[in-house]
Amino acid sequence: MAQQAERIVTSLPDAVGKEVGAALAPVDAELARRYPGDPGTRQPVHTVYVPGDAYTATTPRDWGDRALASLDEHAPDAQTFARATGLADELAGPVYERVRAKLAREPVEDLRVDFEDGYGARPGAEEDEAAARAARLLHETSANKTAAPCTGIRMKCLEAPVRERALRTLDIFLTGLIEAGGLPEGLVLTLPKVTYPEQTAALARVLDAFERAHGLPAKRLGFEIQIETSQSILGADGTATVARMIGAADGRATGLHYGTFDYSACVGVSAAYQSSDHPAADHAKAVMQVAAAGTGVRVCDGSTNVLPVGTRAQVHEAWRLHFGLTRRALARAYYQGWDMHPGHLPTRYAAVYAFYREGMAAAARRLADYASHTAGGVLDEPATAKALSGYLLRGLDCGALDADEVTALTGLDRERLEGYAAPRRGDLTATAAS
C-alpha cells in the first residue's frame, strides 16, 4: 500500500524571514569575526624557552642530544623507562621507540628565544646585539631546515619601566629578519605579563605599523598572550579580562600561555605548592580555555621547575612527575606546555604519544561508525566527530600515530579527517538537526 504524501502548509510570509535575516546580519558578522574556529594548522606539543644569550644555531639539536643522553644513562630500555614514568606495559615498547626517533629527528617543536625573565636586565647594547643575533640565526637555520618548526622571541612586557626596551628588541629582531630575506614560516612572538587589554591593543598597533613600513600583508604578524597575573583572569570590574585581551588584539592573538610560577605567586601560593595542577592554576586555565574557545586562539599549559637531574632515582622521580602533569593536561585539552630542560623532552613525548596511542583504536572505531552511519555503542553527533578527527590529526602531527594505521582503522584519509575536524559553523547545526 502506497504511503500517503503529507500536505505541506506554512503560515509565515516571506517578509518575516527577510526581517529576521536583516536583524541578525550584524550578529552573523560578529560570530564570523570573533569565532572563526581553529586555524587547522599544526599546534606544537610544547614550547622550549632559551635565554637570548644562550640561543645558538644548534640549540634544537643540542637539546635532542642531551635528552637522548639522559635516556641512555637513566632508562636505556623501554621497561626501565616505563617503570620510571608509570607508562603502561603494553605501550612501553612502541612509545619508547617513537620517543627516541622523535628526539633524533625533531627534538624541539617550538622554540622561544627569551628576552624576559630568562634573560633579565642587561645593558642596552648587549640586548641589541642579542636580538640582532637571534634574527640572523633564525634566518640561517630556517634556510637550512634546522630551525624548530615554530621559533620566535619572548619580548619584555609593555609596562612602563621596560616598554621602550621591549619595543626596541622586537623592532631589531623583526627588522633583522626582513633585512635577511623575510619573515620565516612558523615565526612566533610572545607578550608576557599582560594585565590590561590596552596592552594587547598597543602591540597590535605596533605590528600594524611594522607591516605597513615593510609592505607586508595585513595581520601577517600575530602574538601569544602570556597569562601571569590575576588581573589577566579577573579584572577590577569582575569581568573575565582574558576574553577582552583576545578581542583587543584585533585578530592577532594566536595563543594564551599560562605562566605557572608568576601566576601562582601573584595569587599568594607558597613556593612549595606552585604547580600546574594547583587549584588556582586549574581555575585560571579553565577561564582561559572558555575565553579562547572558537576564537582560533590556542591555550598552552605551564611548566614544572622540578628538573630531571642527579641520581637515577632523582631523575626517575622528576620524570614521573612531569609525565603525570603532561598526561593530566592532555586530558583537560591543554595540548601544549612548557619544557624547561632537555631532560623533560623524553617524558613530554612519552606522555603525548601514550595519550594518542592508548585512545587511537576507540576513537578510530567511533569515527568510522559515524562516517559510515553504522550504529555502535555510542550515539555520536557532528561535534563529537569533530573532536574525534581532531584527536587523530593531533596524534598524526606530533608523530604519535602513523597515517597508514589511522587510515586502516577509520577508512578515512587525511583530507577526510580534516573535513570532519573543521566543519563550518552552520554545518554542525544543520547536520545535528537532520
Side-chain angles (χ1 to χ4, degrees):
M1 181 177 179
Q3 184 176 357
Q4 180 178 346
E6 298 291 341
R7 178 170 174 263
I8 308 299
V9 295
T10 62
S11 301
L12 295 174
D14 291 343
V16 172
K18 293 179 180 179
E19 289 171 4
V20 169
L24 291 180
V27 173
D28 296 338
E30 187 74 349
L31 280 171
R33 184 179 74 85
R34 288 187 178 272
Y35 302 101
D38 189 87
T41 54
R42 173 185 176 184
Q43 181 180 8
V45 303
H46 70 167
T47 300
V48 163
Y49 279 72
V50 178
D53 58 337
Y55 170 57
T56 71
T58 61
T59 291
R61 184 64 267 146
D62 293 343
W63 273 57
D65 290 344
R66 291 172 63 188
L68 284 167
S70 182
L71 279 177
D72 290 340
E73 181 178 358
H74 300 293
D77 55 70
Q79 289 70 35
T80 304
F81 189 59
R83 287 195 300 272
T85 59
L87 182 65
D89 290 342
E90 63 272 17
L91 293 173
V95 166
Y96 187 77
E97 291 173 6
R98 285 175 184 270
V99 167
R100 293 195 68 98
K102 177 72 169 181
L103 294 174
R105 181 183 73 254
E106 186 186 71
V108 175
E109 292 195 357
D110 186 25
L111 176 65
R112 206 71 70 252
V113 184
D114 190 14
F115 289 95
E116 203 230 358
D117 285 348
Y119 185 74
R122 309 285 184 96
E126 183 177 339
E127 185 161 338
D128 285 353
E129 178 74 15
R133 178 172 166 273
R136 175 178 61 80
L137 290 176
L138 177 53
H139 168 73
E140 292 173 359
T141 55
S142 296
N144 63 27
K145 308 298 183 184
T146 59
C150 298
T151 307
I153 65 167
R154 176 169 71 167
M155 56 195 280
K156 289 179 171 62
C157 71
L158 290 183
E159 292 179 358
V162 294
R163 184 181 302 141
E164 183 177 351
R165 180 66 260 177
L167 295 179
R168 180 173 175 84
T169 295
L170 178 67
D171 190 7
I172 290 171
F173 176 71
L174 292 177
T175 303
L177 289 174
I178 292 290
E179 293 293 314
L183 303 179
E185 293 299 319
L187 176 65
V188 190
L189 307 173
T190 304
L191 178 65
K193 293 183 176 60
V194 182
T195 52
Y196 282 84
E198 288 80 0
Q199 292 166 329
T200 63
L203 183 55
R205 287 196 295 273
V206 169
L207 297 180
D208 178 69
F210 186 89
E211 289 164 351
R212 285 187 279 106
H214 292 281
L216 298 171
K219 306 285 178 71
R220 168 64 179 84
L221 291 164
F223 61 93
E224 302 165 332
I225 302 169
Q226 200 153 10
I227 304 301
E228 301 177 272
T229 67
S230 61
Q231 297 93 336
S232 59
I233 294 297
L234 192 69
D237 60 355
T239 60
T241 324
V242 65
R244 293 168 54 205
M245 290 174 177
I246 294 172
D250 193 27
R252 293 184 185 272
T254 60
L256 298 174
H257 281 229
Y258 176 68
T260 304
F261 305 103
D262 281 283
Y263 186 88
S264 296
C266 181
V267 298
V269 179
S270 60
Y273 298 97
Q274 291 178 358
S275 174
S276 61
D277 61 352
H278 190 280
D282 285 341
H283 170 259
K285 287 180 286 188
V287 174
M288 292 161 58
Q289 190 174 51
V290 173
T295 65
V297 177
R298 289 160 164 172
V299 175
C300 176
D301 195 13
S303 60
T304 176
N305 60 359
V306 179
L307 305 183
V309 296
T311 66
R312 176 173 287 195
Q314 290 171 321
V315 170
H316 285 190
E317 184 178 1
W319 273 351
R320 182 177 286 269
L321 173 66
H322 186 240
F323 182 93
L325 290 173
T326 303
R327 184 62 179 79
R328 182 182 188 272
L330 290 166
R332 285 157 176 75
Y334 309 133
Y335 299 112
Q336 185 177 356
W338 293 15
D339 289 325
M340 300 179 70
H341 187 274
H344 285 142
L345 299 186
T347 38
R348 169 68 61 185
Y349 291 122
V352 169
Y353 290 176
F355 176 74
Y356 290 110
R357 294 206 66 80
E358 69 190 13
M360 173 180 62
R365 183 175 60 253
R366 287 175 65 178
L367 187 59
D369 287 347
Y370 179 86
S372 63
H373 305 286
T374 300
V378 182
L379 182 60
D380 285 323
E381 296 190 357
T384 305
K386 177 180 179 180
L388 292 167
S389 54
Y391 171 87
L392 295 172
L393 286 167
R394 288 179 184 277
L396 288 168
D397 286 343
C398 71
L401 311 178
D402 297 327
D404 290 346
E405 62 183 345
V406 171
T407 299
L409 289 168
T410 62
L412 306 172
D413 59 15
R414 185 175 182 108
E415 183 177 0
R416 291 191 66 192
L417 285 174
E418 290 174 344
Y420 282 117
R424 295 170 297 178
R425 176 181 300 275
D427 290 344
L428 288 175
T429 304
T431 308
S434 62

